[in-house]
Amino acid sequence: MDFNLNDDQRQFAELARQFAADELAPFAAKWDEEHHFPKDVIQKAGELGFCSLYSPESEGGMGLSRLDSSIIFEELSKGCTATTAMLTIHNMATWMITTWGTQSLRRTWSEGLTTGQLLASYCLTEPGSGSDAASLQTKAVRDGEHYVLNGSKVFISGAGATEMLVVMCRTGEAGAKGISAIAVPADLDGIIYGKAEDKMGWNAQPTRQITFDNVRVPVDHLLGEEGQGFTFAMKGLDGGRINIATCSVGTAQAALERATQYMNERKQFGKPLAAFQALQFKLADMATELVAARQMVRLAAFKLDNQDPEATAYCAMAKRFATDIGFTVCDSALQIHGGYGYIREYPLERHFRDVRVHQILEGTNEIMRLIIARRLLDENAHAIL
């Protein structure tokens, strides 16, 4: 593995960095304050290919690797964490549809989703099943040329503002083998959206509960075959954990850069904060931990790209470590700013709020520890150390 970015990756990073500086960072605070979902900006990102980074080229996607995508998402998240997180979710849902969708489904939806003109949400979590995804209860029953869908999903990003829902539902027996994935157009009769949740962070994207009441979905909207949904969900979560970890790294990098600038500008006791050794040590620790987190995320992406048998464990490690470090770095950056870090004139409190949820999403970090521990204790597992 070469730790240096190649020419293409550097160009990807620069393109994303410029987009974040021009289209995201100047407006992120306002979107957060007004709880505004910048759908038009996401569509602009789609014009650059950012809405289908790892979807197959045959369906209009960029066909990039997970490592390339992580490099892009890191730069974007420096501009707006919440908007970038929504982009990662759309990318995952679009990848599922363009990879496992039927020919007729792909013919209808691929172009709109890959360009970002249409947006997608991912619907896995339910009121009674979060990390225990295999126990989900939303049910789809075959009725002629349709599935009839009933149940509820919670904490769905983009719900009520997106055009497509990738829904994990039960079509068969209890447990993982009975779960299927169905692409559900978001405006079908019987879909009921709850109120937008009043959240601590991620305010630039709506989060709602969705209820499905006898929703009739054409059978050709099934992804893959019946019973493959849980496998698709787990594959999605491997990449999703890299994505959310990347958002933590990018946001923490932005916080570190702001703290470094502030230490050089702010004076106390007749000298800049940068002259105080205790703060120098704190800054050094923040930078060291952030570099370690970035390298772990990129290693996990590399493992996933190369279909390493222990890629799932590495994705869990990266998610656990990077989201914890990202939160710690943002907290330290806020502390360096003192009282200024706590007011909304500065972005530190928003960074702090936005990255906190990353420790919960895509499986809590306690679940990540379980995944890692079980692989370490499995005598049949490949060596992961």
Side-chain angles (χ1 to χ4, degrees):
M1 182 179 180
D2 187 350
F3 288 93
N4 295 311
L5 302 188
N6 60 38
D7 289 342
D8 286 343
Q9 289 168 337
R10 282 193 290 270
Q11 290 176 17
F12 292 150
E14 179 55 34
L15 181 64
R17 187 180 303 120
Q18 195 61 53
F19 184 85
D22 294 342
E23 303 289 346
L24 300 179
F27 313 105
K30 184 177 182 180
W31 296 338
D32 175 72
E33 180 182 2
E34 298 179 356
H35 291 225
H36 173 69
F37 182 45
K39 198 169 182 178
D40 58 330
V41 177
I42 292 176
Q43 291 170 340
K44 285 183 181 180
E47 295 173 5
L48 299 175
F50 294 160
C51 285
S52 54
L53 291 177
Y54 47 88
S55 291
E57 291 182 272
S58 60
E59 296 299 318
M62 296 287 286
L64 299 182
S65 69
R66 296 309 179 102
L67 178 56
D68 294 341
S69 302
S70 176
I71 291 166
I72 291 169
F73 287 141
E74 180 180 339
E75 294 298 333
L76 293 175
S77 61
K78 294 177 185 178
C80 180
T81 312
T83 303
T84 303
M86 185 63 221
L87 268 170
T88 72
I89 294 165
H90 171 80
N91 266 268
M92 178 170 66
T94 297
W95 165 71
M96 288 183 169
I97 290 171
T98 55
T99 300
W100 294 302
T102 61
Q103 184 177 5
S104 59
L105 179 69
R106 289 184 280 112
R107 186 185 306 117
T108 303
W109 287 90
S110 286
E111 181 178 357
L113 291 171
T114 56
T115 59
Q117 294 306 301
L118 303 174
L119 299 181
S121 294
Y122 180 65
C123 307
L124 174 63
T125 304
E126 297 184 359
S129 65
S131 297
D132 183 15
S135 68
L136 65 82
Q137 297 298 309
T138 296
K139 193 171 185 178
V141 177
R142 179 79 179 260
D143 179 25
E145 293 304 307
H146 290 81
Y147 286 102
V148 180
L149 188 63
N150 284 280
S152 295
K153 299 291 182 178
V154 293
F155 307 136
I156 305 305
S157 293
T162 54
E163 287 76 27
M164 173 58 78
L165 310 172
V166 174
V167 180
M168 297 296 160
C169 54
R170 189 165 302 286
T171 56
E173 63 188 79
K177 293 182 180 180
I179 295 174
S180 298
I182 300 179
V184 181
D187 60 352
L188 290 182
D189 291 341
I191 299 178
I192 303 165
Y193 295 98
K195 67 177 181 64
E197 301 291 353
D198 190 9
K199 308 188 297 288
M200 174 181 174
W202 273 26
N203 290 321
Q205 52 164 282
T207 302
R208 291 184 172 90
Q209 178 169 325
I210 306 177
T211 300
F212 302 98
D213 182 13
N214 290 321
V215 178
R216 298 184 66 84
V217 188
V219 293
D220 66 355
H221 283 46
L222 177 71
L223 304 185
E225 299 177 0
E226 287 191 7
Q228 290 187 312
F230 190 79
T231 298
F232 296 162
M234 294 304 101
K235 288 179 179 292
L237 286 176
D238 279 345
R241 286 163 184 160
I242 292 172
N243 292 344
I244 209 68
T246 298
C247 288
S248 286
V249 170
T251 307
Q253 181 66 44
L256 174 63
E257 291 171 2
R258 181 60 69 105
T260 302
Q261 178 184 351
Y262 183 79
M263 282 177 57
N264 281 313
E265 294 174 351
R266 174 73 167 170
K267 291 185 177 180
Q268 288 291 280
F269 305 102
K271 54 185 177 181
L273 295 184
F276 292 91
Q277 192 175 64
L279 292 180
Q280 293 174 7
F281 287 170
K282 179 180 284 291
L283 205 66
D285 288 343
M286 292 162 66
T288 301
E289 291 169 349
L290 188 54
V291 167
R294 178 180 294 110
Q295 298 305 335
M296 180 166 280
V297 170
R298 292 182 179 179
L299 175 61
F302 174 82
K303 295 283 187 182
L304 192 59
D305 286 331
N306 287 275
Q307 300 180 335
D308 189 283
E310 294 303 332
T312 293
Y314 277 93
C315 291
M317 288 181 187
K319 193 269 179 181
R320 202 291 298 167
F321 187 71
T323 59
D324 282 349
I325 291 301
F327 180 73
T328 299
V329 170
C330 288
D331 185 31
S332 296
L334 188 155
Q335 187 71 19
I336 286 172
H337 280 73
Y340 291 107
Y342 201 67
I343 62 176
R344 297 198 171 184
E345 182 180 348
Y346 292 76
L348 284 308
E349 59 84 30
R350 173 166 46 85
H351 294 333
F352 178 89
R353 288 185 288 108
D354 281 344
V355 298
R356 181 61 183 89
V357 74
H358 299 174
Q359 296 169 293
I360 300 169
L361 293 176
E362 310 294 354
T364 66
N365 281 359
E366 288 70 31
I367 295 297
M368 297 305 100
R369 292 181 174 94
L370 282 175
I371 292 171
I372 298 162
R374 286 173 180 172
R375 296 308 293 164
L376 287 168
L377 294 170
D378 185 348
E379 61 183 20
N380 296 316
H382 295 260
I384 65 174
L385 297 178

